[in-house]
Amino acid sequence: MSEFTEEQLQKYSRQIILPEVGGKGQKKLLNAKVFIVGAGGLGCPVGYYLTGAGIGRITIIDNDTVELSNLQRQIAHSVKSLGKLKVDSVSETFKNLNPDVNIVGIPQKITKDNIMDLIKNHDIVVDGSDNFPTRYLVNDACVMLKKPLVSGAILKFEGHVTTIIPGQGHCYRCLFEEMPPPGLVPSCQEAGVIGAIPGVIGSLQAIEVIKLILGKGDVLKNTLLIYDALKTTFRKVKIPKNPDCPVCGSNPTITELLDYDAEYCAAH
Amino acid sequence: MEEDIKPDKKISIKGLVCPYTFVKAKLAVEDMKVGQVLEILLDFEEASKSIPKSMEDHGQKVLKVEKVNDTDWIIQIRKEKE
């Protein structure tokens, strides 16, 4: 294990001493490639902690720019990055935290035309998106490419986390087969959110990713974890795999990616 | 009389303090085979207590902890598990 530099031994000492990590686990982390959808409330803490852990490559996609209203919860941005692309802002923050990590920022919207190429060379995908078309797009693409997906969602005082291992457990469509009609579920913009909620949920997502890379512990497979901050409760709900799921079932009806924005609007 | 065990590997972590003392010792154990013995030379007193405890917590066997002079300790660890 002498292939670690002295600086790396210092940087990662607190996790190398864990029996579940050690030098072997740290090597796995340093060789892992993680794709993060969204550089917002969830993408910021997920990327921050994964950068600290020494993940080899983090690719993060977002086509948005930093606004003052983001700073309450999107902890990798600052007043200095107002107006900048979010991916540029987080890349700078993460590189300052840990120059070991190869951070790749993609200032694009993720679509059915680019997602397959973008995620195929990564080990794990993290969904930190804020809308249903993207959530379903990312789910379907991960099922088709058999990529583990750690999905998070937040609203008001509540957050959800689930880990999808295609072929082994449920997928997002086993849980909610179709997108809700626009307007039924309010967005953060409409309903509001406490800034620390994505901090909790993003941290949980980062830990799920680290456990998947290490191959240690139990991940949220076939399980939805619901955090209610007002009641201060964490609830685990069993989500069985749906044998008739349109994307991961035995006779799937969705075999190629759809026009998710059109599907969402058509549902209105 | 205590039987002297010939170590398979020796490391010196003199000059290091916690947690790097244990990081170095742990990485050395990881690189060895089950049944092999590691001998650690150190001069940080706290680590002469914490390394044996942590090694036992991780399932390894502590064979010897000995103060060999005014400043140094020798610890012998036998690897019991991966």
Side-chain angles (χ1 to χ4, degrees):
Chain A
M1 287 297 152
S2 51
E3 56 265 56
F4 291 113
T5 64
E6 286 301 315
E7 193 184 274
Q8 284 178 320
L9 289 183
Q10 289 188 29
K11 208 185 287 188
Y12 307 123
S13 59
R14 292 300 192 282
Q15 59 200 48
I16 288 176
I17 61 180
L18 294 169
E20 293 81 1
V21 184
K24 286 174 189 148
Q26 188 59 51
K27 284 275 153 203
K28 288 183 187 172
L29 295 169
L30 288 168
N31 288 324
K33 301 185 196 78
V34 177
F35 190 94
I36 303 174
V37 180
L42 294 168
C44 285
V46 172
Y48 224 122
Y49 279 116
L50 293 182
T51 300
I55 298 297
R57 186 168 88 199
I58 296 174
T59 308
I60 186 160
I61 186 165
D62 201 311
N63 65 341
D64 222 349
T65 52
V66 180
E67 293 173 30
L68 200 51
S69 65
N70 302 148
L71 303 185
Q72 160 253 23
R73 66 195 177 285
Q74 302 185 14
I75 56 164
H77 311 308
S78 74
V79 284
K80 288 183 190 154
S81 48
L82 289 174
K84 277 192 197 173
L85 282 163
K86 285 186 179 177
V87 290
D88 290 344
S89 166
V90 295
S91 297
E92 197 180 326
T93 305
F94 297 164
K95 279 172 189 162
N96 284 335
L97 179 67
N98 190 353
D100 274 1
V101 180
N102 178 14
I103 313 281
V104 181
I106 302 178
Q108 291 174 26
K109 182 176 159 61
I110 196 157
T111 68
K112 72 179 175 64
D113 299 316
N114 63 15
I115 189 168
M116 294 302 221
D117 272 345
L118 287 170
I119 68 175
K120 70 180 178 196
N121 293 323
H122 295 78
D123 304 307
I124 298 167
V125 177
V126 178
D127 186 9
S129 67
D130 62 355
N131 64 83
F132 285 102
T134 304
R135 195 169 291 280
Y136 280 78
L137 166 70
V138 172
N139 175 75
D140 293 357
C142 285
V143 170
M144 287 172 195
L145 288 176
K146 297 204 173 347
K147 294 283 178 197
L149 166 63
V150 180
S151 186
I154 50 156
L155 198 66
K156 298 182 187 177
F157 282 88
E158 194 175 304
H160 295 179
V161 193
T162 188
T163 295
I164 291 160
I165 318 261
Q168 288 183 32
H170 79 298
C171 84
Y172 206 78
R173 281 193 193 266
C174 296
L175 180 56
F176 306 110
E177 190 167 320
E178 289 186 351
M179 283 187 242
L184 183 69
V185 180
S187 68
C188 278
Q189 208 174 342
E190 295 156 355
V193 65
I194 293 294
I197 300 287
V200 172
I201 300 301
S203 301
L204 288 167
Q205 286 180 284
I207 295 167
E208 289 289 288
V209 170
I210 288 169
K211 289 189 298 180
L212 283 170
I213 294 168
L214 296 174
K216 300 286 180 186
D218 300 318
V219 293
L220 291 165
K221 188 173 71 174
N222 288 326
T223 307
L224 179 70
L225 180 69
I226 301 170
Y227 171 53
D228 182 333
L230 286 177
K231 293 185 184 145
T232 323
T233 55
F234 282 96
R235 209 151 47 91
K236 270 174 153 183
V237 180
K238 279 279 158 213
I239 310 294
K241 181 173 162 65
N242 174 9
D244 300 321
C245 173
V247 68
C248 79
S250 37
N251 293 300
T253 52
I254 300 169
T255 52
E256 56 186 55
L257 296 174
L258 312 167
D259 188 340
Y260 294 82
D261 288 318
E263 187 194 344
Y264 191 54
C265 292
H268 191 41
Chain B
M1 267 240 323
E2 204 177 308
E3 193 188 341
D4 257 1
I5 295 170
K6 192 178 168 338
D8 298 281
K9 185 173 178 177
K10 290 184 180 184
I11 59 168
S12 168
I13 51 172
K14 284 179 66 155
L16 292 182
V17 297
C18 293
Y20 311 115
T21 43
F22 183 61
V23 170
K24 291 273 189 185
K26 180 177 161 60
L27 291 175
V29 170
E30 273 189 32
D31 276 351
M32 296 170 70
K33 295 190 177 73
V34 170
Q36 289 188 320
V37 174
L38 172 71
E39 185 172 289
I40 307 159
L41 176 66
L42 64 146
D43 60 3
F44 185 62
E45 182 171 7
E46 194 189 321
S48 72
K49 299 182 189 88
S50 63
I51 288 180
K53 186 182 180 306
S54 300
M55 285 294 176
E56 279 180 348
D57 288 348
H58 286 217
Q60 314 304 352
K61 174 83 178 163
V62 179
L63 302 176
K64 180 161 99 178
V65 182
E66 192 182 324
K67 194 165 196 316
V68 289
N69 58 42
D70 284 352
T71 56
D72 300 348
W73 283 261
I74 276 180
I75 299 175
Q76 282 191 345
I77 306 288
R78 188 170 68 217
K79 181 166 181 173
E80 299 284 311
K81 58 180 262 193
E82 285 296 339

